Amino acid sequence: MTNMTHWDDNKAKAVMTNSHARGAPLTGALRALVDAFGYVDDAAIAPLMQTYARSRAEVLGVISYYDDFRQSSPGRHVIRLCQAEACQAVGARELTAHVCKKTGLALGETTGDGQLTLEPVYCLGLCANGPAADINGKPAAHLDEKSIDAKLAEITK
Ligand code: FES
């Protein structure tokens, strides 16, 4: 289960201010927002522009560049399936198709009840141990249909 609270503009501003005061770069503030709320709400863009003296395009460019910085609230559980080459070579595409079929979701979608989000990720540093995934922030390696089914059952029970 992801550990986050609903978006709150005042709390978000405090997170951004604290990150900036500690000398964190823009990516550090974005990381702190995602850790706190699970995503970076549109309401954060203007304060980030002001705090970091960046244009809107620069802030949005950084958010879209990194897999970790989503712009919409994720589900209660988040599975990020690696789609990069080393994992593809050992079955990531087939594993992804299996998970998508089993959950009824495409990558980037969340179940209607807000319980589960599937996301693509492009390398988790587990290249020699693929197919790999990040399940609620924890790495999972050597996945196959049986093991991902077990993890899905475990997190959604
Ligand atoms: S390619 Fe999948 S973890 Fe690196």
Side-chain angles (χ1 to χ4, degrees):
M1 181 182 351
T2 52
N3 186 16
M4 58 196 164
T5 59
H6 290 289
W7 187 267
D8 178 298
D9 285 344
N10 290 328
K11 286 182 184 172
K13 283 179 186 164
V15 167
M16 288 181 255
T17 301
N18 289 340
S19 293
H20 189 255
R22 288 194 322 269
L26 175 58
T27 51
L30 293 169
R31 177 75 261 164
L33 289 170
V34 170
D35 287 346
F37 304 106
Y39 74 110
V40 180
D41 194 273
D42 282 346
I45 305 303
L48 286 167
M49 290 165 56
Q50 187 172 24
T51 302
Y52 285 92
R54 301 285 182 88
S55 70
R56 180 175 180 80
E58 287 172 320
V59 172
L60 292 175
V62 171
I63 292 171
S64 65
Y65 182 80
Y66 292 99
D67 294 334
D68 282 352
F69 302 149
R70 64 178 76 86
Q71 282 194 277
S72 58
S73 182
R76 187 164 175 246
H77 302 285
V78 178
I79 296 181
R80 303 167 73 214
L81 294 162
C82 183
Q83 305 295 299
E85 287 81 358
C87 283
Q88 279 185 29
V90 291
R93 284 185 176 154
E94 295 79 4
L95 185 73
T96 299
H98 170 77
V99 174
C100 289
K101 184 176 179 185
K102 187 160 183 92
T103 61
L105 297 172
L107 293 177
E109 290 183 345
T110 299
T111 54
D113 62 3
Q115 286 297 304
L116 178 66
T117 295
L118 287 185
E119 293 180 337
V121 66
Y122 297 91
C123 198
L124 293 159
L126 296 167
C127 313
N129 302 295
D134 173 310
I135 301 174
N136 286 335
K138 295 180 182 160
H142 298 295
L143 291 167
D144 58 19
E145 291 186 4
K146 187 175 176 186
S147 60
I148 196 77
D149 285 353
K151 290 185 183 297
L152 269 168
E154 183 182 318
I155 64 172
T156 57
K157 68 182 174 187

